[in-house]
Amino acid sequence: MAQGIVRRSQGPFTDLVDWFETEMRHVGVAPSVPVEDYTEDDQYVVRAELPGVDPDKDVTVTVEGDVLTIHGERREEKKDKNRQEHRYGSFTRQVRIPRAAADDVKASYADGILEVRVPLKASEGGPQKIAIERSK
């Protein structure tokens, strides 16, 4: 299957929330977790930039229905600083995905990028935690 952006039908409210989150990131008000999504080899792929976090300690990935939630915390080192432009604290990012069973969803982390792969087949169920594999 060729790579491409997955087009999801979204209502005006979802579009408004997405626009607001994007604009707030530009002015530095909202915590920034940039994501991209596409399809590849019958899988829906979500990639999130998470530099400087330990996926084993600081990141949780869950799936509930058709919503992928990435939650974590970027911890600040206590140092005397002349300038601070990095954002610290907890963050949450939610992305609508195709429904899938947790056992079928795979998450990996390498070079500051969290990648979640979801097979393009239907599944039902409640909240499901996804293990993050660390690439070597």
Side-chain angles (χ1 to χ4, degrees), residues 1-19:
M1 178 179 273
Q3 268 186 339
I5 298 292
V6 175
R7 301 289 180 215
R8 298 179 300 276
S9 61
Q10 298 182 357
F13 181 73
T14 303
D15 291 339
L16 179 62
V17 169
D18 287 346
W19 174 83

Side-chain angles (χ1 to χ4, degrees), residues 24-44:
M24 289 298 100
R25 260 187 248 108
H26 289 301
V27 296
V29 174
S32 179
V33 179
V35 297
E36 65 182 0
D37 61 353
Y38 53 90
T39 57
E40 178 180 77
D41 300 327
D42 295 330
Q43 293 182 333
Y44 180 72

Side-chain angles (χ1 to χ4, degrees), residues 48-67:
E49 287 184 15
L50 298 175
V53 298
D54 183 343
D56 299 327
K57 298 178 191 172
D58 299 330
V59 179
T60 303
V61 177
T62 58
V63 172
E64 182 173 7
D66 63 350
V67 177

Side-chain angles (χ1 to χ4, degrees), residues 5-136:
I5 298 292
V6 175
R7 301 289 180 215
R8 298 179 300 276
S9 61
Q10 298 182 357
F13 181 73
T14 303
D15 291 339
L16 179 62
V17 169
D18 287 346
W19 174 83
F20 185 73
E21 285 178 352
T22 301
E23 291 305 310
M24 289 298 100
R25 260 187 248 108
H26 289 301
V27 296
V29 174
S32 179
V33 179
V35 297
E36 65 182 0
D37 61 353
Y38 53 90
T39 57
E40 178 180 77
D41 300 327
D42 295 330
Q43 293 182 333
Y44 180 72
V45 181
V46 177
R47 292 171 36 100
E49 287 184 15
L50 298 175
V53 298
D54 183 343
D56 299 327
K57 298 178 191 172
D58 299 330
V59 179
T60 303
V61 177
T62 58
V63 172
E64 182 173 7
D66 63 350
V67 177
L68 169 73
T69 302
I70 301 167
H71 178 76
E73 184 171 352
R74 187 168 285 118
R75 300 178 193 278
E76 179 177 11
E77 294 179 23
K78 299 296 181 193
K79 294 182 180 177
D80 268 343
K81 298 175 186 164
N82 294 323
R83 178 188 312 240
Q84 180 173 334
E85 295 179 359
H86 293 271
R87 302 270 181 231
Y88 297 97
S90 64
F91 57 85
T92 300
R93 183 70 193 259
Q94 294 183 312
V95 178
R96 193 166 302 280
I97 62 170
R99 289 184 180 269
D103 293 342
D104 296 334
V105 178
K106 303 297 179 206
S108 61
Y109 182 87
D111 300 327
I113 303 292
L114 174 70
E115 183 176 276
V116 180
R117 292 183 167 267
V118 181
L120 294 174
K121 63 179 182 178
S123 176
E124 297 292 329
Q128 303 168 30
K129 186 173 180 178
I130 309 300
I132 301 172
E133 297 174 13
R134 173 116 27 175
S135 298
K136 301 286 179 189

